[in-house]
Amino acid sequence: MTKLHVNKDLNGFIAILFCVLICSCTTTTSDKNSDSLKLWYNAPAADWNEALPIGNGRLGAMVYGIPDQENIQLNEGTLWAGGPHRNDNSETKEILGEIRQLLFEGKYKEAHTLANAKIISKTSHGMNYETVGNLRLNFEGHDSFSNYHRELDLEKAVNRMSYTVDGVQYQREVFTSFTDQVIVIRLTASEKGKISFSAGMDRPKPSVVQVSTEGNNILTMTGRGADLKSKRTPKDAKPIEGKVKFESRLKIVPQGGSLTSTDNTLILNGADSATLFLAINTNFKNYKDVSADEHQHAAKSLLNLEKKTYEQLKTNHANYYNKFFNRVKLNLGTTDSINKPTDIRIKEFSKGNDPALAALYYQFGRYLLICSSQPGGQPGNLQGIWCNQLTPPWKSAYTVNINTEMNYWPAESTNLSEMHEPLIEMVKELAVAGKQTAEDMYGADGWVTHHNTDLWRICGPVDGATWGMWPTGGLWLSQHLWDKFMFNGDTEYLKEVYPAMKGATEFCLSFLTPEPENNWLIMSPSTSPENRPAHHPKNVNIAYGATMDNQLVFDMLTKTASASRILGVDDALIKEIEATIPQLAPNQIGQYGQIQEWIHDWDDPEDKHRHISHLYGMHPSNQFSPFRTPELAEAVRNVLVYRGDPSTGWSMNWKINQWARLLDGNHAYKMMTDQIKLVGRPDSPKGGGTYTNMLDAHPPFQIDGNFGFTSGLTEMLLQSHDGAIHFIPALPDVWKNGSVSGLRARGAFDIELMEWAEGKLVKVIIKSNLGGNCRIRSYSQLKLEGDNPLKKSEGENENPFYSTPNIKDAIISSKAKLQGFSIPDTFLYDVETNMGQRYVLVGE
């Protein structure tokens, strides 16, 4: 055993700092709980679904807050199984015509079997996102504690806990530094010499844990991602070799006490305080290159900290985080519930009015997006960046038939545009990787990806025809390229992403094929994601001309044509698009007054499936509108009523967005009460909802529900997709008074402030970053500050960001009796704005 002695002589500054820390430790619980932007609890986490998430976009950790045996579960965004590879099935090209003919002849079962044999990948069904492992801190004798408190501070992105043992108060602070790219842990006590613990690391898969030969205050853990063979690949298929190597390096810097070590443990005794630094790095460079030096990067990360104090590290971390988080402030009011622990508030939310919890849930979603998706890193996956397994549910991969897209619905509207960048970069990479997939599998132009991808940007279909036979994943992902432009208006950005948009459109144009009954151009073979018709002749998912595909193709073509015109390129492509759009399949309203999910009227009003793919045209797209297409809006509402409110977590949050687009704030709020219900404990109800730590329960945990909630609440307060900026379009009765600042609207308008009282707008401050006509929609009359009347809107909005959205005409079933959607009267105003100017509107 080696031993390191630490000087106990503290200078005056450190002594003063120590006193300050002690004072902070003794802050009363009531003071701590007064902050509305904290998740807090009076007991340690009982399991992973009660631990609290921290992250910096690359590093993630779940902190349990256990006094005697702390567990901090670790992730690094590029630690995945496998290595660079492709998973295309080249046999597809030779049977594409055959499978289409089978579908057109109604031989769905035969088509399903053929798709499994000749289209679904035979080499890889995607790799797993993996945990790094655990950092374990053992404090002997701390199992008998009192005065316990733990919290997640959303304003500082810091996890804290405090408790008392034998009259001594202990405090821990943990954060994942955005600026220094390490996990930082600070341990303090109200008396000197009371910090004693041992530190070790472990991983579910064998790894090497040892005290570094470079110094006995450093503990290392090294390993690599798994070799992985998918269960659905042939028996003789080789596993994809695990090429991602990682190194975790823990350094303990104590004040006072003695630091010793065994072969695989660090032991600190009798210190006044201690700061722990944990660096985790991999050899990943990009999806084709794993040649980085993980050891060098981890060692350098710790070396760079040597001249920085703990307070400097925490301040730099908070300052970086705050420049994003503080952009949006939301006040929906408070009640006495704010003084209760967060788990109790979640449990009681549906029983009373706790508007501050809805606001906290909203801001928690923004916190999670900042912490799981940073520029230069990977996009958030199915669990963001937090995963405690080697074989997580659904591989914790990128499921792009809704879940990945939902992760980024709040990015632009809630003023976190920078967090959108990792997804944009992934789409650009998929456009490169998917070009070979389109050619090799379908003999098609452009690029394609299916319903799932991973770190290695696989583009072939996985998981069997029931899920994977869906060739329009690239089309949905590409909507984000255009949506980002709609918020920033940056033509230089549009030039960067236009090739990916063009490639997705080229795939559509070469893959579309006429169906036999109406000669409409449709996508085939495909599915309506993960659902099958109850009355399908063969009870399989495979289909052609699914409504969602028709809507996605329509959006892809129209948006690419708009981008081409803006950039002044590809006239021939524009002409081809214009010739194709009239031939696309329309939306259809079926016998139950519903948007048909399939090209045939197979819908069943008893179908409670979680996916509502055919409502993409309402949200996140803007093809349907209560104002422009009231019959289609009513048909959307009918689907939502048939499907019902209870569902998986992410599905309920998508429905919040749908009801907001239908201008029904009270039903959207009702969906919020279904989502904010406590699940995961023995006495909890089953189904979707919210875990104790406020993470969304599918179940199990999926982060998309958190982001869907934040998006949905934003849609209730502000919409800008339908030719105007609509203020409080779906305000529920329970939020009669409130304010929000910092939201963004399309056309590069910042809503710097919006206040309402008794359900009516009081004041709005708009900043125009591009200039142009700002069309405003409101349920109440408005005027410019200083009693200046507003100009009533007339005709088409001349601002190109607010031109009336296009739609493919719908076929209304003769059996459906639709009256059109009933909407309240609104006022429409125009304000001609100048770049950089602010405009103040007040209610009359």
Side-chain angles (χ1 to χ4, degrees):
M1 179 180 289
T2 57
K3 188 170 185 177
L4 173 69
H5 291 284
V6 181
N7 186 358
K8 287 190 176 182
D9 294 331
L10 301 177
N11 60 33
F13 171 77
I14 295 177
I16 293 172
L17 179 60
F18 186 77
C19 290
V20 171
L21 288 170
I22 293 175
C23 291
S24 68
C25 288
T26 57
T27 303
T28 64
T29 300
S30 60
D31 290 338
K32 290 181 178 181
N33 298 346
S34 64
D35 193 332
S36 62
L37 287 175
K38 289 180 180 176
L39 286 66
W40 73 272
Y41 309 84
N42 54 20
D47 54 40
W48 193 84
N49 290 318
E50 297 195 359
L52 295 173
I54 57 175
N56 65 6
R58 185 180 67 84
L59 298 175
M62 296 289 284
V63 185
Y64 283 65
I66 303 173
D68 57 325
Q69 294 183 336
E70 178 64 285
N71 181 21
I72 300 177
Q73 184 267 315
L74 309 169
N75 286 104
E76 203 279 346
T78 61
L79 181 52
W80 289 65
H85 71 284
R86 301 190 61 84
N87 75 328
D88 310 330
N89 189 342
S90 59
E91 296 177 319
T92 302
K93 192 186 297 186
E94 63 192 52
I95 57 91
L96 182 58
E98 179 184 355
I99 197 170
R100 284 174 168 173
Q101 189 60 36
L102 287 171
L103 289 170
F104 294 156
E105 293 175 0
K107 297 177 180 178
Y108 297 97
K109 186 68 174 179
E110 294 86 344
H112 177 87
T113 301
L114 185 59
N116 273 327
K118 297 292 187 178
I119 298 180
I120 301 302
S121 177
K122 293 184 177 181
T123 57
S124 165
H125 285 251
M127 298 294 105
N128 294 333
Y129 179 55
E130 296 185 349
T131 179
V132 171
N134 303 284
L135 169 63
R136 301 190 189 273
L137 307 178
N138 296 310
F139 299 81
E140 188 175 348
H142 285 211
D143 54 333
S144 297
F145 56 86
S146 60
N147 299 323
Y148 182 90
H149 178 91
R150 67 183 174 108
E151 65 184 30
L152 179 61
D153 185 345
L154 300 189
E155 287 191 299
K156 301 296 183 184
V158 173
N159 172 279
R160 302 186 188 93
M161 64 170 290
S162 61
Y163 61 92
T164 301
V165 174
D166 295 332
V168 179
Q169 189 170 43
Y170 296 87
Q171 180 162 311
R172 301 174 196 167
E173 284 193 335
V174 190
F175 62 90
T176 43
S177 172
F178 287 96
T179 48
D180 289 277
Q181 289 298 306
V182 294
I183 299 174
V184 183
I185 305 164
R186 177 71 170 169
L187 308 175
T188 58
S190 60
E191 294 182 14
K192 294 183 179 181
K194 293 295 184 177
I195 302 295
S196 299
F197 66 95
S198 63
M201 289 189 283
D202 59 69
R203 189 168 192 256
K205 182 184 177 183
S207 55
V208 177
V209 181
Q210 60 186 1
V211 173
S212 172
T213 57
E214 302 162 39
N216 66 345
N217 63 340
I218 294 179
L219 182 68
T220 68
M221 179 169 66
T222 57
R224 65 180 180 92
D227 302 339
L228 192 61
K229 176 182 176 180
S230 304
K231 293 180 180 179
R232 294 179 179 273
T233 55
K235 292 182 179 180
D236 58 350
K238 295 181 180 180
I240 306 300
E241 184 181 353
K243 293 291 186 72
V244 182
K245 297 186 293 184
F246 75 89
E247 179 167 329
S248 302
R249 294 175 66 86
L250 174 70
K251 181 177 182 178
I252 298 178
V253 180
Q255 290 179 335
S258 61
L259 185 63
T260 60
S261 65
T262 66
D263 290 341
N264 57 10
T265 308
L266 296 179
I267 304 166
L268 180 63
N269 281 302
D272 300 331
S273 64
T275 306
L276 287 66
F277 304 106
L278 181 61
I280 309 172
N281 292 85
T282 75
N283 63 339
F284 179 88
K285 276 191 171 181
N286 58 56
Y287 72 100
K288 297 182 287 187
D289 187 347
V290 286
S291 64
D293 188 328
E294 70 282 1
H295 168 73
Q296 183 183 52
H297 284 307
K300 185 178 179 181
S301 294
L302 293 184
L303 185 64
N304 291 340
L305 303 175
E306 289 188 352
K307 295 183 179 180
K308 298 178 181 179
T309 67
Y310 173 74
E311 291 301 323
Q312 286 174 327
L313 293 171
K314 188 167 72 167
T315 298
N316 293 341
H317 159 79
N319 288 344
Y320 178 91
Y321 167 79
N322 286 152
K323 72 180 181 181
F324 302 117
F325 184 77
N326 286 347
R327 290 173 181 171
V328 172
K329 307 286 187 182
L330 175 63
N331 176 21
L332 299 175
T334 59
T335 64
D336 291 341
S337 296
I338 200 170
N339 296 316
K340 298 179 181 179
T342 302
D343 53 332
I344 301 301
R345 294 175 69 187
I346 295 171
K347 188 174 183 178
E348 296 177 351
F349 183 78
S350 63
K351 300 175 182 177
N353 185 19
D354 187 357
L357 185 63
L360 180 66
Y361 208 108
Y362 172 89
Q363 292 286 27
F364 184 56
R366 296 183 68 248
Y367 164 85
L368 292 173
L369 187 55
I370 298 169
C371 293
S372 63
S373 184
Q374 281 287 308
Q378 298 300 310
N381 59 47
L382 206 57
Q383 294 182 279
I385 201 173
W386 299 278
C387 168
N388 67 334
Q389 300 179 49
L390 298 178
T391 56
W394 306 288
K395 297 166 285 203
S396 195
Y398 299 107
T399 305
V400 299
N401 63 14
I402 181 173
N403 311 99
T404 302
E405 290 88 351
M406 184 183 283
N407 284 2
Y408 288 89
W409 286 352
E412 300 298 329
S413 59
T414 74
N415 219 333
L416 296 176
S417 183
E418 295 90 340
M419 278 68 266
H420 213 164
E421 181 185 303
L423 181 70
I424 302 300
E425 291 302 312
M426 183 174 82
V427 179
K428 290 160 65 176
E429 291 172 348
L430 287 169
V432 175
K435 185 173 180 61
Q436 182 177 335
T437 307
E439 168 58 30
D440 289 353
M441 289 191 63
Y442 301 114
D445 300 329
W447 67 277
V448 63
T449 195
H450 294 77
H451 97 291
N452 212 279
T453 189
D454 59 17
L455 183 71
W456 312 113
R457 305 308 186 239
I458 60 167
C459 295
V462 304
D463 297 339
T466 296
W467 302 273
M469 191 56 265
W470 186 66
T472 51
L475 305 190
W476 197 347
L477 285 170
S478 294
Q479 308 304 320
H480 284 257
L481 306 178
W482 176 253
D483 290 346
K484 188 175 179 66
F485 172 73
M486 290 299 289
F487 279 88
N488 65 28
D490 183 351
T491 54
E492 291 302 312
Y493 158 79
L494 188 60
K495 289 178 184 178
E496 293 177 10
V497 300
Y498 176 73
M501 293 181 64
K502 179 181 177 181
T505 292
E506 289 172 333
F507 175 75
C508 292
L509 293 172
S510 62
F511 190 77
L512 286 166
T513 190
E515 50 81 38
E517 295 181 44
N518 301 284
N519 211 36
W520 294 328
L521 292 180
I522 50 86
M523 305 297 275
S524 177
S526 189
T527 66
S528 185
E530 303 190 25
N531 197 13
R532 67 183 59 174
H535 302 304
H536 195 298
K538 297 298 181 180
N539 197 31
V540 293
N541 292 54
I542 197 166
Y544 64 89
T547 297
M548 184 193 209
D549 284 353
N550 304 333
Q551 296 169 354
L552 284 168
V553 170
F554 178 81
D555 267 0
M556 197 70 254
L557 299 188
T558 56
K559 292 173 182 179
T560 300
S562 296
S564 301
R565 294 187 185 97
I566 292 169
L567 297 176
V569 297
D570 292 327
D571 289 341
L573 178 63
I574 294 173
K575 291 179 180 179
E576 186 176 2
I577 290 172
E578 290 175 340
T580 301
I581 287 176
Q583 303 178 65
L584 298 178
N587 294 287
Q588 300 181 79
I589 297 179
Q591 60 185 312
Y592 302 110
Q594 86 287 0
I595 300 288
Q596 283 185 201
E597 186 164 1
W598 293 275
I599 199 166
H600 299 108
D601 195 357
W602 286 332
D603 299 71
D604 181 352
E606 298 303 316
D607 180 7
K608 307 301 180 185
H609 199 270
R610 61 195 177 278
H611 282 257
I612 47 174
S613 304
H614 49 316
L615 305 190
Y616 162 88
M618 173 62 78
H619 179 277
S621 185
N622 59 353
Q623 295 177 26
F624 306 160
S625 161
F627 298 103
R628 292 180 290 103
T629 61
E631 291 86 4
L632 287 170
E634 183 181 346
V636 168
R637 185 183 185 279
N638 289 339
V639 172
L640 292 173
V641 172
Y642 295 152
R643 287 289 168 91
D645 293 342
S647 189
T648 58
W650 65 263
S651 178
M652 291 191 292
N653 287 290
W654 192 3
K655 292 172 185 175
I656 293 173
N657 289 268
Q658 296 282 354
W659 283 108
R661 287 284 177 95
L662 289 171
L663 311 178
D664 192 337
N666 286 331
H667 202 121
Y669 180 79
K670 192 271 178 185
M671 294 299 313
M672 288 183 166
T673 65
D674 289 337
Q675 171 61 24
I676 307 180
K677 69 178 181 188
L678 192 65
V679 300
R681 286 184 170 173
D683 61 344
S684 296
K686 305 299 181 182
T690 299
Y691 290 117
T692 300
N693 56 11
M694 208 176 268
L695 291 176
D696 167 68
H698 178 286
F701 162 54
Q702 281 188 198
I703 202 168
D704 41 21
N706 289 98
F707 297 130
F709 182 96
T710 300
S711 169
L713 199 154
T714 305
E715 292 284 343
M716 295 165 74
L717 300 182
L718 183 75
Q719 296 179 18
S720 63
H721 62 281
D722 196 20
I725 301 177
H726 193 173
F727 296 114
I728 52 175
L731 190 71
D733 293 341
V734 293
W735 300 341
K736 291 187 179 297
N737 306 298
S739 65
V740 65
S741 62
L743 298 180
R744 299 178 70 237
R746 291 164 178 83
F749 291 106
D750 292 341
I751 312 305
E752 294 190 340
L753 177 66
M754 181 169 62
E755 296 178 347
W756 64 92
E758 296 303 317
K760 293 185 177 182
L761 279 176
V762 173
K763 186 175 185 178
V764 177
I765 302 176
I766 303 172
K767 180 184 177 183
S768 174
N769 295 300
L770 288 179
N773 185 61
C774 180
R775 179 159 291 180
I776 296 161
R777 177 176 279 124
S778 171
Y779 296 129
S780 54
Q781 294 189 58
L782 302 173
K783 61 184 178 181
L784 286 168
E785 194 172 49
D787 291 329
N788 297 309
L790 282 170
K791 178 184 175 182
K792 296 289 181 66
S793 298
E794 294 182 0
E796 192 75 12
N797 191 345
E798 62 187 33
N799 189 329
F801 292 94
Y802 285 91
S803 59
T804 302
N806 295 318
I807 184 167
K808 192 77 174 68
D809 293 338
I811 292 181
I812 309 296
S813 169
S814 59
K815 296 180 181 179
K817 297 179 180 180
L818 299 179
Q819 304 300 317
F821 200 79
S822 177
I823 58 172
D825 293 332
T826 61
F827 298 90
L828 276 175
Y829 302 103
D830 283 345
V831 180
E832 188 60 38
T833 69
N834 296 313
M835 183 186 300
Q837 296 297 308
R838 289 175 173 81
Y839 300 84
V840 181
L841 283 61
V842 294
E844 292 190 10

